[in-house]
Amino acid sequence: MTDEPDRPVLCELQDRALIRVSGADARAFLQGQLSNDVREVTPAQSQLTSLNTPQGRTLALMRLFELQDTLMLSLPRDLQMPIIERLRKYILRSRVELEPADDFAGCGIAGESAATALGEAGIAPPVAVDEAGANDDVIAIRVPSQAGNRFELYGKDRPLAAVRDALSAQCERAEPETWRLLDTLAEIPLLSPATSGEFVAQMLNLDELGAINFKKGCYAGQEIIARTHYRGQVKRRLKLLFRSEPAQPGESLDLDENISAVVVQSALHPQRGFAVLAVAPSNAEPR
């Protein structure tokens, strides 16, 4: 396996889960909770967004998209229920329902010819990052990549299985760890129970990933996140490192004398040991 294989790879997104957000007030409710502008999400446009504490610390980085007139959040599986329970506390009288979308699944396709493979499977490949294309039942979203093309696909089990079968003839099957590596190389921080709520949003580079809209109205943590942005007080940032040994989320790494970093995620790299995303001092040099 290489960073961006010539023949597309097809991976099951087994460590992802979905939250279905429905009801007459669903969009307005999420607008008051999440860091990005929910009004910009359409069937053709997804977005990265985050849920934060009132202190501006990120509980989860998620992808919000619309499929069949329903808003969906994709996030790490082990944060699905904690995030549902957190959001439910704020529903009050809003006409909103939050539930696990366990009847949905996800897979990913990556590689230079991934867009061609998608088209031949019946889904017009989106052109820009965060754009989405769909047939009636399955959505394909272009996601950030270190190089080449990368798409995440979501749909109910049976329709997604049909698209997956169509892609299988053109792709090489890969383990879910492959997708974790591609996310890590693209510097997309996927939080876990060990790191949820530990970092202010900018420490995870969510501003650089386009997951924060600084012009929208209030949301949980907005005051701290905005103050950090406008005063330029980000002393620690997410960095991509390479290590010879595996590292666990929440683990502290000594980068140099008196310089340490906190691990967000790591993945096995075929040539360089382990690729690690860690929050480190802004002036620390990646290595």
Side-chain angles (χ1 to χ4, degrees):
M1 183 189 68
T2 60
D3 292 2
E4 284 291 342
D6 293 332
R7 189 166 184 248
V9 294
L10 183 64
C11 306
E12 300 300 320
L13 302 184
Q14 294 177 352
D15 60 351
R16 305 287 177 86
L18 295 170
I19 299 172
R20 181 185 289 109
V21 189
S22 58
D25 298 329
R27 195 174 291 262
F29 171 75
L30 291 180
Q31 181 73 349
Q33 300 298 322
L34 304 182
S35 61
N36 218 333
D37 193 337
V38 176
R39 297 171 297 183
E40 296 178 356
V41 173
T42 70
Q45 184 69 39
S46 76
Q47 64 182 208
L48 285 174
T49 189
S50 65
L51 179 66
N52 304 280
T53 69
Q55 295 75 35
R57 294 184 176 272
T58 300
L59 295 166
L61 175 65
M62 303 173 282
R63 182 166 292 280
L64 178 63
F65 62 90
E66 182 179 344
L67 180 62
Q68 299 175 341
D69 299 320
T70 300
L71 293 172
M72 307 285 283
L73 288 163
S74 171
L75 73 169
R77 183 169 298 279
D78 51 9
L79 291 181
Q80 181 194 43
M81 291 311 301
I83 294 302
I84 288 177
E85 291 167 6
R86 177 91 181 192
L87 286 170
R88 281 176 176 167
K89 293 179 181 179
Y90 300 100
I91 290 179
L92 302 177
R93 296 182 180 178
S94 298
R95 294 167 294 175
V96 177
E97 292 184 7
L98 294 158
E99 57 184 347
D102 293 337
D103 53 336
F104 277 70
C107 66
I109 179 174
E112 291 296 336
S113 56
T116 301
L118 263 187
E120 293 179 358
I123 299 179
V127 176
V129 169
D130 296 335
E131 285 185 359
N135 60 21
D136 292 337
D137 302 299
V138 176
I139 189 169
I141 301 167
R142 185 182 286 267
V143 297
S145 178
Q146 187 187 46
N149 301 309
R150 198 159 71 103
F151 305 89
E152 291 180 354
L153 285 72
Y154 297 100
K156 288 190 175 180
D157 292 336
R158 184 173 295 179
L160 182 65
V163 173
R164 187 192 298 115
D165 289 345
L167 290 171
S168 293
Q170 307 171 66
C171 299
E172 178 181 343
R173 285 279 187 165
E175 296 299 318
E177 179 73 10
T178 300
W179 208 256
R180 174 173 290 275
L181 173 61
L182 295 177
D183 277 333
T184 302
L185 294 175
E187 300 187 36
I188 299 175
L190 298 173
L191 297 181
S192 66
T195 53
S196 178
E198 292 298 313
F199 307 107
V200 172
Q202 285 95 329
M203 291 182 184
L204 297 170
N205 295 351
L206 300 194
D207 49 344
E208 296 178 1
L209 285 170
I212 304 172
N213 187 305
F214 292 101
K215 296 181 180 180
K216 66 170 285 185
C218 294
Y219 59 90
Q222 183 264 345
E223 183 177 354
I224 300 298
I225 292 170
R227 184 186 306 156
T228 301
H229 172 71
Y230 290 112
R231 293 185 179 180
Q233 298 176 333
V234 186
K235 296 182 179 180
R236 298 178 70 82
R237 283 279 190 179
L238 192 73
K239 295 182 182 293
L240 176 62
L241 315 171
F242 293 94
R243 311 281 292 183
S244 60
E245 300 292 332
Q248 299 302 315
E251 180 182 344
S252 180
L253 298 178
D254 292 327
L255 302 184
D256 208 337
E257 187 176 355
N258 299 321
I259 299 178
S260 63
V262 178
V263 175
V264 175
Q265 72 208 47
S266 69
L268 181 66
H269 191 284
Q271 288 91 33
R272 303 185 66 180
F274 291 85
V276 178
L277 285 182
V279 174
S282 300
N283 59 0
E285 290 296 328
R287 60 185 181 87

Short mmCIF file of all heavy atoms in Angstrom, two decimals, residues 15 35 55 62 68 73 79 88 97 105 131-132 147 181 188 197 200 206 234 238 263 276:
data_model
loop_
_atom_site.label_atom_id
_atom_site.label_comp_id
_atom_site.label_asym_id
_atom_site.label_seq_id
_atom_site.Cartn_x
_atom_site.Cartn_y
_atom_site.Cartn_z
N ASP A 15 -15.25 2.24 11.50
CA ASP A 15 -15.12 3.01 12.74
C ASP A 15 -15.90 4.31 12.70
O ASP A 15 -15.74 5.17 13.57
CB ASP A 15 -13.65 3.29 13.03
CG ASP A 15 -12.96 4.08 11.93
OD1 ASP A 15 -13.58 4.26 10.85
OD2 ASP A 15 -11.82 4.53 12.14
N SER A 35 -20.28 24.47 14.91
CA SER A 35 -19.36 25.58 14.62
C SER A 35 -19.43 26.10 13.19
O SER A 35 -18.92 27.18 12.91
CB SER A 35 -17.92 25.14 14.92
OG SER A 35 -17.55 24.03 14.09
N GLN A 55 -16.58 26.12 26.81
CA GLN A 55 -15.19 26.63 26.92
C GLN A 55 -14.44 26.53 25.60
O GLN A 55 -13.23 26.79 25.55
CB GLN A 55 -14.44 25.85 28.00
CG GLN A 55 -14.98 26.05 29.41
CD GLN A 55 -16.29 25.30 29.65
OE1 GLN A 55 -16.50 24.20 29.13
NE2 GLN A 55 -17.18 25.89 30.43
N MET A 62 -17.14 16.40 12.98
CA MET A 62 -18.12 15.61 12.26
C MET A 62 -18.28 16.13 10.85
O MET A 62 -17.91 17.26 10.55
CB MET A 62 -19.47 15.67 12.99
CG MET A 62 -19.40 15.20 14.44
SD MET A 62 -20.94 15.48 15.35
CE MET A 62 -20.82 17.23 15.69
N GLN A 68 -31.77 12.59 1.17
CA GLN A 68 -33.22 12.31 1.20
C GLN A 68 -33.93 13.21 2.20
O GLN A 68 -34.72 12.76 3.04
CB GLN A 68 -33.45 10.83 1.52
CG GLN A 68 -32.86 9.88 0.48
CD GLN A 68 -32.99 8.42 0.86
OE1 GLN A 68 -33.21 8.08 2.02
NE2 GLN A 68 -32.87 7.55 -0.12
N LEU A 73 -25.09 13.32 10.42
CA LEU A 73 -23.76 13.60 10.95
C LEU A 73 -22.94 12.32 10.95
O LEU A 73 -23.38 11.30 11.50
CB LEU A 73 -23.86 14.14 12.38
CG LEU A 73 -24.40 15.56 12.53
CD1 LEU A 73 -24.83 15.80 13.97
CD2 LEU A 73 -23.35 16.58 12.11
N LEU A 79 -18.01 7.82 19.56
CA LEU A 79 -18.56 9.09 20.04
C LEU A 79 -20.03 9.26 19.66
O LEU A 79 -20.65 10.26 20.04
CB LEU A 79 -17.75 10.26 19.48
CG LEU A 79 -16.31 10.41 19.99
CD1 LEU A 79 -15.65 11.63 19.35
CD2 LEU A 79 -16.28 10.53 21.51
N ARG A 88 -29.04 16.09 22.91
CA ARG A 88 -30.42 15.97 23.41
C ARG A 88 -30.68 16.88 24.61
O ARG A 88 -31.81 17.29 24.85
CB ARG A 88 -30.71 14.51 23.77
CG ARG A 88 -31.03 13.64 22.56
CD ARG A 88 -31.21 12.19 22.97
NE ARG A 88 -31.61 11.36 21.82
CZ ARG A 88 -31.61 10.03 21.82
NH1 ARG A 88 -31.21 9.37 22.92
NH2 ARG A 88 -31.99 9.36 20.75
N GLU A 97 -35.55 15.45 16.42
CA GLU A 97 -35.28 14.08 16.85
C GLU A 97 -33.85 13.72 16.48
O GLU A 97 -33.41 13.98 15.36
CB GLU A 97 -36.26 13.11 16.19
CG GLU A 97 -37.69 13.28 16.66
CD GLU A 97 -38.61 12.25 16.06
OE1 GLU A 97 -38.12 11.32 15.40
OE2 GLU A 97 -39.84 12.37 16.26
N ALA A 105 -24.66 2.69 6.40
CA ALA A 105 -23.25 2.27 6.48
C ALA A 105 -22.44 3.20 5.60
O ALA A 105 -22.98 4.04 4.86
CB ALA A 105 -23.10 0.82 6.05
N GLU A 131 -17.96 18.87 -1.69
CA GLU A 131 -19.11 18.72 -2.58
C GLU A 131 -19.60 17.27 -2.54
O GLU A 131 -18.85 16.35 -2.23
CB GLU A 131 -18.75 19.12 -4.01
CG GLU A 131 -18.63 20.62 -4.20
CD GLU A 131 -18.41 21.00 -5.65
OE1 GLU A 131 -18.33 20.10 -6.52
OE2 GLU A 131 -18.29 22.21 -5.93
N ALA A 132 -20.88 17.10 -2.86
CA ALA A 132 -21.49 15.78 -2.80
C ALA A 132 -22.23 15.48 -4.10
O ALA A 132 -22.76 16.37 -4.75
CB ALA A 132 -22.47 15.70 -1.62
N ALA A 147 -3.12 13.77 -1.68
CA ALA A 147 -2.95 13.83 -3.14
C ALA A 147 -4.02 12.94 -3.76
O ALA A 147 -4.52 12.01 -3.13
CB ALA A 147 -1.55 13.35 -3.55
N LEU A 181 -5.20 5.89 7.90
CA LEU A 181 -3.94 6.47 7.44
C LEU A 181 -4.20 7.65 6.51
O LEU A 181 -3.57 8.71 6.64
CB LEU A 181 -3.10 5.41 6.73
CG LEU A 181 -1.82 5.93 6.05
CD1 LEU A 181 -0.87 6.55 7.08
CD2 LEU A 181 -1.12 4.82 5.28
N ILE A 188 -6.78 15.26 9.23
CA ILE A 188 -8.15 15.37 9.71
C ILE A 188 -8.20 14.71 11.08
O ILE A 188 -8.07 13.49 11.20
CB ILE A 188 -9.13 14.69 8.75
CG1 ILE A 188 -9.06 15.38 7.37
CG2 ILE A 188 -10.55 14.73 9.29
CD1 ILE A 188 -9.90 14.69 6.32
N GLY A 197 -13.01 16.79 24.05
CA GLY A 197 -13.09 17.85 25.06
C GLY A 197 -11.75 18.32 25.59
O GLY A 197 -11.72 19.12 26.53
N VAL A 200 -8.99 23.15 22.43
CA VAL A 200 -9.73 24.24 21.78
C VAL A 200 -9.71 24.00 20.27
O VAL A 200 -8.73 23.46 19.73
CB VAL A 200 -9.12 25.60 22.14
CG1 VAL A 200 -9.75 26.73 21.32
CG2 VAL A 200 -9.29 25.87 23.63
N LEU A 206 -9.12 23.24 13.13
CA LEU A 206 -10.45 23.22 12.54
C LEU A 206 -10.73 24.47 11.73
O LEU A 206 -11.54 24.44 10.79
CB LEU A 206 -11.52 23.04 13.63
CG LEU A 206 -11.43 21.77 14.48
CD1 LEU A 206 -12.72 21.57 15.25
CD2 LEU A 206 -11.11 20.54 13.64
N VAL A 234 -3.15 31.23 19.47
CA VAL A 234 -3.07 29.78 19.32
C VAL A 234 -1.61 29.37 19.51
O VAL A 234 -0.79 29.52 18.60
CB VAL A 234 -3.60 29.31 17.95
CG1 VAL A 234 -3.64 27.78 17.91
CG2 VAL A 234 -4.98 29.89 17.69
N LEU A 238 -2.22 21.36 15.67
CA LEU A 238 -2.13 19.97 15.22
C LEU A 238 -0.99 19.83 14.22
O LEU A 238 -0.86 20.63 13.29
CB LEU A 238 -3.44 19.57 14.56
CG LEU A 238 -3.63 18.08 14.28
CD1 LEU A 238 -3.89 17.32 15.59
CD2 LEU A 238 -4.79 17.87 13.33
N VAL A 263 -1.04 13.11 21.60
CA VAL A 263 -1.49 12.35 20.44
C VAL A 263 -3.01 12.44 20.28
O VAL A 263 -3.76 12.30 21.25
CB VAL A 263 -1.07 10.87 20.57
CG1 VAL A 263 -1.65 10.04 19.42
CG2 VAL A 263 0.45 10.76 20.61
N VAL A 276 1.40 10.09 12.83
CA VAL A 276 0.76 10.50 14.07
C VAL A 276 0.30 11.95 13.94
O VAL A 276 1.07 12.82 13.51
CB VAL A 276 1.74 10.38 15.27
CG1 VAL A 276 1.08 10.87 16.55
CG2 VAL A 276 2.22 8.95 15.41
#
